[in-house]
Amino acid sequence: MNDPHGPHDRPITGHTGPTGPADPTAVLSARGMVKAFGGVRVLNGVSMDVRAREVVVVVGPSGSGKTTFLRCLNHLESIDEGEILVHGRRVGYKDGPDRLVEERPRAIAARRRNIGFVFQRFNLFPHLSALDNVAVAPVKVLGVPKAEAREQAQALLARVGLAHKASSRPSVLSGGQQQRVAIARALAMKPELMLFDEPTSALDPEMVGEVVTVMKELVEDGLTMIVVTHEMGFARSAADRLVMFDQGVILEEGTPEKLMTDPDHQRTRAFLRRIDGHG
Amino acid sequence: MADTSLLADSAQVAGFDWSFFWHYLISPSGTFLEGLWRTVYISVVAQALGVVLGLVIALAQRSRFAVLRWGGGAYVWLIRGTPLLVQLVLVYNGLAAAGVYRFTDVPVGGLVLLGVVQAAVLTLAVNEAAYMAEIIRAALDAIDRGQTEAAQALGMTPSLTMRVVLLPQALRIIVPPLGNEFNLMMKSTSLLSVIGLQEMFLTAQSINSATFKTFEIFLVAACYYLALTTVWSFVQRFIERKLADPGTTPPPGPSLRERLVGGRGGGPAPRGTAVVGKEPTLAGREAS
Ligand SMILES: Nc1ncnc2c1ncn2[C@@H]1O[C@H](COP(=O)(O)OP(=O)(O)O)[C@@H](O)[C@H]1O
Ligand SMILES: [Mg+2]
């Protein structure tokens, strides 16, 4: 249970995703992800392929493992079994003498550079202005010259509609504004894959729209994204694929129309009906 | 070793000599001023070294290597578990007596760096580092875990995360207890009299032995310690203001009265129980 082995070491339970070895040509290819906390399996064999420009929306009941799944994809959480490839390269692990071993922190950090992550609670840096929140990683991580990075950051803030808030600290911004700065901050690293963990669920209802609008624009721009959200409006209009998580496995997946109108599982129907009422 | 028996002198009861008191308060002798100067620069240098060393110890305690964590913990345990007075005597007199190391005067440029000053600065810094390590560690622990995760998600290495995200935020939490530490440091220098360092306290004591004006001269010394700590409290407030987040309206700082008299919770917090503002923790990982 310590290090991930190949995808076929153990039978995969309740699995509906891709089979066969991980696909190195996909933006993301995950196979047989297993994650346990204190002996309890939170992910129980999750596999997923995401191609360039694809938008995948993940839904599922609270506690079904959606957050854990996203966190494992950029190794904020280790995995016990399985394999994750982003652009054909393993995340978090490398070949050891007889099995996979965890990478050093430095190498893990390098792998995360092109995977953007947007948190439920924004996690902006409170001691930096909005502009510096966006510019800091390009400068410090990528070595982009300061003036250039700030120029790009200003453009990104404009893109999320916050050009006028460049010099504001996060503490004076509304939740919706903070989340848009957080999206700009992730975009500044020019990620090939963006992960969103319930980006609107910590927001007051009247601020959800502004964040969803920004995300839809990113979809237009062709960004590859995995979005955990219960905003069914977004899923309907933007998702290529809807994935239903349940108890650590992918219960079923398909086009938003298919899952919303004619799902294979009663649980999917019941769940989507419930959240769509509120979404 | 200095003679610390003050009781013998107090046998001479002669009333309070106001003119002596005012004279020494307003125009202190050259030796007294020299003692004052030593108190100040030893405090500043020892505190600065203590902060740097304390940071190293705090980082060691958070290292992913068990040996470093263990070493940092052992350091803090050892230093905080023994009195500064004992440490001073051990370092300056003990090491020399055992033939391990004798602090000798070293000429630096035109000046001479006294052996006893070296021992004093070293011991005070090493002692202070243990307390600073705890303060820094508590401050780092008080920062929401989401900050580290956001930095990691941007591809920052652990050291970059520390420098760019955690330490700048920890600084704001560290400054109030650091100010408290420096206040204690200035007063702790009076212990240096025990290894014969002519700082302000020992100077006052020498004057006392010559004049027998015990109350007067130590009252003068007390006034000067008070002046130092008071000036420092203003400097500290200035620094705290500078570091305050301009975005938020800072809570009104302690009033002058609170600052001088210690109105909040009665006096400076005891060291060791680092008064670190534990911020409300946004659950490190997001609840669904
Ligand atoms: N660090 C952790 N330690 C222990 N249990 C955890 C931890 N993180 C998540 N869990 C548990 O794993 C399960 C799945 O959590 P999560 O991935 O956050 O679900 P979701 O995002 O779908 O609501 C929950 O039961 C949660 O309590
Ligand atoms: Mg979640």
Side-chain angles (χ1 to χ4, degrees):
Chain A
M1 286 249 313
N2 301 320
D3 288 307
H5 302 273
H8 306 303
D9 281 11
R10 54 178 311 282
I12 290 164
T13 25
H15 169 260
T16 69
T19 50
D23 179 358
T25 66
V27 173
L28 167 77
S29 189
R31 288 295 180 275
M33 289 167 61
V34 171
K35 174 68 184 179
F37 287 112
V40 180
R41 285 196 176 197
V42 169
L43 294 180
N44 201 1
V46 173
S47 300
M48 185 185 285
D49 280 348
V50 179
R51 316 221 131 257
R53 305 173 72 87
E54 222 183 337
V55 177
V56 176
V57 166
V58 175
V59 295
S62 175
S64 57
K66 307 179 298 293
T67 296
T68 306
F69 169 67
L70 285 193
R71 289 167 58 84
C72 288
L73 293 184
N74 73 350
H75 205 70
L76 283 177
E77 213 76 74
S78 63
I79 53 175
D80 300 318
E81 289 174 44
E83 182 176 29
I84 300 166
L85 300 186
V86 170
H87 269 282
R89 294 174 60 200
R90 252 191 222 104
V91 176
Y93 299 89
K94 61 182 178 190
D95 289 311
D98 52 344
R99 55 180 184 172
L100 296 182
V101 294
E102 193 164 30
E103 289 261 27
R104 289 154 176 269
R106 198 160 263 286
I108 295 171
R111 293 295 293 120
R112 288 187 183 122
R113 282 176 201 171
N114 47 16
I115 307 173
F117 201 110
V118 175
F119 297 86
Q120 190 173 4
R121 292 181 190 275
F122 335 133
N123 294 343
L124 290 181
F125 304 130
H127 59 299
L128 300 179
S129 67
L131 188 77
D132 285 335
N133 262 280
V134 180
V136 66
V139 171
K140 301 289 182 181
V141 177
L142 302 178
V144 176
K146 225 173 193 159
E148 191 184 325
R150 298 185 125 237
E151 210 167 288
Q152 288 171 5
Q154 188 62 50
L156 283 167
L157 285 178
R159 190 166 157 195
V160 299
L162 290 172
H164 59 297
K165 293 290 183 187
S167 59
S168 302
R169 294 278 180 111
S171 54
V172 300
L173 299 178
S174 72
Q177 292 171 332
Q178 287 189 56
Q179 192 61 296
R180 287 187 279 155
V181 174
I183 291 171
R185 177 176 72 172
L187 290 174
M189 294 296 285
K190 302 192 170 69
E192 296 163 327
L193 172 65
M194 279 277 274
L195 310 174
F196 293 79
D197 187 16
E198 302 207 32
T200 58
S201 67
L203 300 178
D204 291 337
E206 73 269 21
M207 293 170 185
V208 169
E210 63 195 60
V211 172
V212 169
T213 303
V214 166
M215 289 168 61
K216 281 183 180 164
E217 283 164 14
L218 299 182
V219 174
E220 297 287 303
D221 294 346
L223 197 67
T224 312
M225 332 195 320
I226 302 176
V227 185
V228 174
T229 185
H230 291 161
E231 285 301 315
M232 283 301 110
F234 175 79
R236 215 175 268 119
S237 69
D240 297 302
R241 191 151 34 115
L242 194 54
V243 174
M244 168 79 188
F245 262 59
D246 194 28
Q247 297 176 19
V249 298
I250 293 176
L251 184 62
E252 84 176 280
E253 59 183 306
T255 61
E257 297 83 58
K258 158 86 170 130
L259 260 69
M260 287 179 194
T261 58
D262 182 27
D264 293 337
H265 291 261
Q266 190 50 42
R267 286 180 65 85
T268 309
R269 184 191 303 278
F271 179 77
L272 287 179
R273 191 169 286 162
R274 198 163 67 239
I275 59 170
D276 209 8
H278 308 163
Chain B
M1 260 304 141
D3 168 30
T4 50
S5 59
L6 300 171
L7 284 176
D9 305 331
S10 60
Q12 307 220 345
V13 181
F16 191 84
D17 186 342
W18 279 103
S19 70
F20 181 92
F21 171 74
W22 285 116
H23 173 76
Y24 263 88
L25 189 67
I26 292 160
S27 58
S29 66
T31 42
F32 191 89
L33 285 178
E34 203 173 314
L36 174 72
W37 168 236
R38 282 211 178 112
T39 289
V40 172
Y41 82 72
I42 288 175
S43 300
V44 170
V45 174
Q47 186 68 48
L49 291 176
V51 169
V52 173
L53 187 55
L55 177 61
V56 172
I57 308 280
L59 294 180
Q61 285 182 294
R62 291 169 59 97
S63 164
R64 64 194 173 101
F65 302 109
V67 187
L68 291 179
R69 287 200 302 274
W70 188 89
Y75 181 97
V76 171
W77 169 73
L78 202 69
I79 300 296
R80 294 210 312 173
T82 52
L84 175 56
L85 196 56
V86 174
Q87 293 166 5
L88 280 170
V89 176
L90 275 177
V91 169
Y92 186 63
N93 308 100
L95 290 182
V100 179
Y101 186 75
R102 184 179 296 277
F103 287 91
T104 51
D105 302 351
V106 180
V108 213
L111 300 165
V112 176
L113 188 55
L114 296 177
V116 68
V117 171
Q118 298 164 40
V121 168
L122 179 77
T123 312
L124 287 173
V126 163
N127 181 274
E128 181 57 25
Y131 294 92
M132 281 313 302
E134 290 295 279
I135 289 170
I136 294 169
R137 199 163 65 101
L140 290 171
D141 285 348
I143 298 171
D144 176 23
R145 199 148 159 75
Q147 291 292 307
T148 305
E149 295 188 341
Q152 287 176 330
L154 289 166
M156 292 192 193
T157 57
S159 69
L160 204 53
T161 302
M162 183 57 69
R163 275 184 288 136
V164 174
V165 175
L166 297 182
L167 281 181
Q169 292 185 56
L171 191 63
R172 204 174 298 161
I173 308 174
I174 288 168
V175 164
L178 168 63
N180 202 35
E181 285 298 303
F182 187 60
N183 175 300
L184 289 166
M185 173 67 83
M186 287 189 285
K187 294 180 293 190
S188 295
T189 54
S190 59
L191 294 175
L192 299 176
S193 57
V194 81
I195 56 173
L197 197 154
Q198 286 279 349
E199 40 61 68
M200 193 157 56
F201 179 82
L202 190 54
T203 309
Q205 197 160 303
S206 319
I207 296 170
N208 173 51
S209 332
T211 61
F212 300 109
K213 306 279 187 195
T214 309
F215 195 28
E216 292 83 348
I217 192 61
F218 281 106
L219 203 56
V220 169
C223 287
Y224 276 95
Y225 281 115
L226 189 61
L228 289 180
T229 52
T230 303
V231 167
W232 169 245
S233 74
F234 284 109
V235 175
Q236 186 187 346
R237 178 137 64 142
F238 175 76
I239 298 172
E240 282 171 25
R241 284 248 178 88
K242 276 265 182 209
L243 285 173
D245 182 353
T248 56
T249 27
S255 70
L256 181 61
R257 193 194 142 272
E258 281 173 324
R259 214 154 254 278
L260 296 182
V261 189
R264 286 192 176 172
R271 49 194 321 182
T273 56
V275 270
V276 167
K278 182 81 180 161
E279 294 182 346
T281 338
L282 300 173
R285 60 189 322 288
E286 337 255 63
S288 80

